[in-house]
Amino acid sequence: MTARNDLSTSGGRPRRSRSTAVRRRPADRRQQILDAAARAFSEGGYHAVRLDQIADDAGISAAALYRHFPNKYALFCETTSGLAERLAVAIAGVESDQPDPRTELSELLATIATTAIDNRRTGGLYRWESQYLDRSDAEPVRSVVITQHRRMRTQLIRIRPELSRADADLITSAMTSVVASPATHRASLPIRDAQTLLRDVAAGLVDVELPVPRPEPPAPTGLAPSAKREIILAASISLFAARGFHDVTIEEIGAASGVPASGVYRHFSGKAAILEAAFWRASDRTTACITDALAVSSTPREAIVELVRRYVEVWCGNRDLIMVYASEIGHLEPDRRTALRRQQRINVEEWTTWVVRSRPELGAARARYLVHAALAAISDLVRLDRSSEPARIGPLAQRILLGA
């Protein structure tokens, strides 16, 4: 007798039952992997992400993932270049050399805002993670950024030909930060409203008058703390900012601190504990800015001006700390990240409250979007230009929050 539990015949041809039908590989499996990888790298950072995590998110086995990509770097490289390519295509779709530079600039800003909103869960990859690409792989990504910046700066100078190159670059960078800011947060706003709001706010930066750059004063030497824990923390922040958390060893931290590796472990349980302390140091300082600003303010508008001034001064005075704060959170354990982000949300809500009190027509959702845009602009300008001055960043952030 012939067993027919799973097979039957039709016209002499075997037919599989549904229970044993061969599962076809989805035609877009490679893209599914790339999408999962982009989300993981954006949210967790390159070094903190494991390939099995990406495989789980894509709904495949790690072995199946390796059939498409030989290693993590190849996957990372393609996700980054793919995101840059999407932005390049979007920018190229905006007609160039339009008669009215404000129109062309507005269209460019709207396009970048739409691209940022469409790629919210992966935009962090584009903002922070390209630092891990090899030089040859990073060049195409850098080319997209440069092309975008130059197109926007060209329209800005057409509008304001009196601007110096430094002023034009600073304003252009701030405009870019505003329209790209949705990639830095998860605040909710209808897509059309978000696009219009960010485009208009960024376009409003065109008319900001910046103070003349001052000669950079010599960096104050000051006195170093004597407590070993503070020495280790300061040395670690400098090393993490310069080379990245992953590539710094405890032995190097000890050498920079003047203690053996065993001495580092007397104060911190490991590198992750040092990184967590750095994050809370940054969080505490930004939280203190709020209390200090409100203490010297008598109106909502004064509160916003003071919030911006103090926040900018803190970040300009702690550039290494902001580099770490902006790019290394993926190396913390999930529960530690959650606690830090909870405090970040509390701070954003405090800023939002005072923006709404100053401009009640905005409503809380739009005001919150503007707070995130202003904080992103401050972070980017301090991070990208080490010579940027608080007095030149402040007016741009104030315009984002307060309008003309």
Side-chain angles (χ1 to χ4, degrees), residues 9 13 22 39 52 69 123 143 155-156 162 198 210 219 222 253 263 304 372 377 391:
T9 60
R13 297 175 61 184
V22 175
R39 291 191 296 269
D52 60 333
F69 299 94
S143 177
Q155 306 316 311
L156 174 60
E162 80 283 0
L198 295 176
L210 299 176
I253 292 172
I304 294 169
H372 281 294

Side-chain angles (χ1 to χ4, degrees), residues 264-324:
V264 176
Y265 285 114
R266 279 197 290 271
H267 298 278
F268 297 96
S269 60
K271 275 204 310 178
I274 301 174
L275 183 64
E276 183 182 358
F279 269 96
W280 280 113
R281 174 66 51 86
S283 179
D284 290 344
R285 289 183 177 178
T286 56
T287 302
C289 286
I290 297 174
T291 303
D292 294 344
L294 296 179
V296 298
S297 303
S298 56
T299 68
R301 188 177 184 86
E302 288 179 3
I304 294 169
V305 171
E306 279 297 316
L307 282 168
V308 168
R309 183 181 70 81
R310 292 170 185 270
Y311 189 88
V312 172
E313 287 182 349
V314 163
W315 281 136
C316 283
N318 297 271
R319 295 178 190 271
D320 285 347
L321 185 58
I322 189 176
M323 287 289 291
V324 175

